[in-house]
Amino acid sequence: GAGVSQSPSNKVTEKGKDVELRCDPISGHTALYWYRQSLGQGLEFLIYFQGNSAPDKSGLPSDRFSAERTGGSVSTLTIQRTQQEDSAVYLCASSLVGQGAGEQYFGPGTRLTVT
Amino acid sequence: KQEVTQIPAALSVPEGENLVLNCSFTDSAIYNLQWFRQDPGKGLTSLLLIQSSQREQTSGRLNASLDKSSGRSTLYIAASQPGDSATYLCAVPISGNTGKLIFGQGTTLQVKP
């Protein structure tokens, strides 16, 4: 079956522009997560969705970052007024059940470069 | 606060060797522990998830063990192959209404032909 997919795979944008990153989770997975991985850094949690609601958005670095999930499926991470420090690989994951109880499956990531 | 540590940071072995990767965590109240593999420039591939009630989980040449009381997990790779070269990460979820995983920094494995 299909795994987690993300688009675009690569995105280059100018500082100050807005970007949207998309995640399509595995069908039937109720939980969805966004993480990011900066060059040479570890994985940083951003936000957790259970269905369409986000019980934990504690990892969003600033109010320039927002995310939504619709229909219990697709999620979009939006970064407004991008800064160079936003450059990273943004990874999406999904699991059958949430609250840490389920195995998380990751997508291939979106590599964001802010110039 | 949960912290996850992986030792060693890097490991180089000749093909065919059996090897052990280590993961330790500070808070033993975990649901489960997950091992991942990451190839350069790629996402994470889930290798094994071991539940808190389990002591071992096996998949092919991989065997993960979990000792909650001592806050440790090991990933055993039998008969290593060059294709096993990658970064291996362990992660545990924190408690509460969140799915947040806390990751170790990873062990980068190189298996030489």
Side-chain angles (χ1 to χ4, degrees), chain B residues 12-86:
Chain B
S12 181
V13 300
E15 181 177 4
E17 269 203 11
N18 303 323
L19 58 101
V20 174
L21 307 181
N22 297 293
C23 172
S24 61
F25 46 94
T26 54
D27 184 351
S28 62
I30 59 170
Y31 286 134
N32 54 58
L33 184 144
Q34 201 166 349
W35 281 94
F36 296 91
R37 166 188 175 136
Q38 186 173 32
D39 293 281
K42 306 289 185 184
L44 277 66
T45 300
S46 179
L47 297 173
L48 289 163
L49 180 138
I50 182 164
Q51 300 289 354
S52 61
S53 58
Q54 297 177 305
R55 292 192 64 86
E56 281 191 8
Q57 187 70 262
T58 298
S59 176
R61 293 182 294 108
L62 306 179
N63 176 278
S65 69
L66 177 63
D67 184 343
K68 276 184 59 177
S69 60
S70 67
R72 299 177 67 140
S73 176
T74 60
L75 180 68
Y76 175 84
I77 303 176
S80 58
Q81 303 171 358
D84 295 331
S85 299

Side-chain angles (χ1 to χ4, degrees), chain A residues 35 37 55-56 99-100 103-104, chain B residues 31-32 34 38 46 97-99:
Chain A
Y35 296 84
Q37 188 173 34
D56 187 356
Q99 298 188 347
E103 186 168 0
Q104 294 190 22
Chain B
Y31 286 134
N32 54 58
Q34 201 166 349
Q38 186 173 32
S46 179
N97 192 12
T98 177

Side-chain angles (χ1 to χ4, degrees), chain A:
Chain A
V4 178
S5 61
Q6 293 185 246
S7 61
S9 55
N10 279 285
K11 177 71 177 179
V12 180
T13 191
E14 292 180 354
K15 178 181 171 181
K17 301 278 191 184
D18 298 352
V19 295
E20 284 190 354
L21 311 181
R22 177 187 169 107
C23 172
D24 285 85
I26 293 172
S27 178
H29 279 196
T30 65
L32 185 146
Y33 319 81
W34 285 96
Y35 296 84
R36 74 175 176 181
Q37 188 173 34
S38 303
L39 188 64
Q41 300 296 311
L43 278 129
E44 176 187 13
F45 167 83
L46 297 178
I47 188 168
Y48 157 62
F49 285 94
Q50 182 60 46
N52 292 335
S53 61
D56 187 356
K57 50 180 84 170
S58 63
L60 295 178
S62 74
D63 59 8
R64 296 186 296 104
F65 287 71
S66 63
E68 66 174 10
R69 188 179 185 195
T70 56
S73 180
V74 173
S75 176
T76 303
L77 177 69
T78 301
I79 309 173
Q80 295 179 311
R81 305 181 303 281
T82 51
Q83 303 294 313
Q84 287 188 330
E85 62 262 29
D86 299 334
S87 296
V89 177
Y90 289 81
L91 294 163
C92 175
S94 70
S95 63
L96 189 59
V97 294
Q99 298 188 347
E103 186 168 0
Q104 294 190 22
Y105 296 89
F106 280 74
T110 293
R111 181 174 300 277
L112 175 66
T113 303
V114 182
T115 61

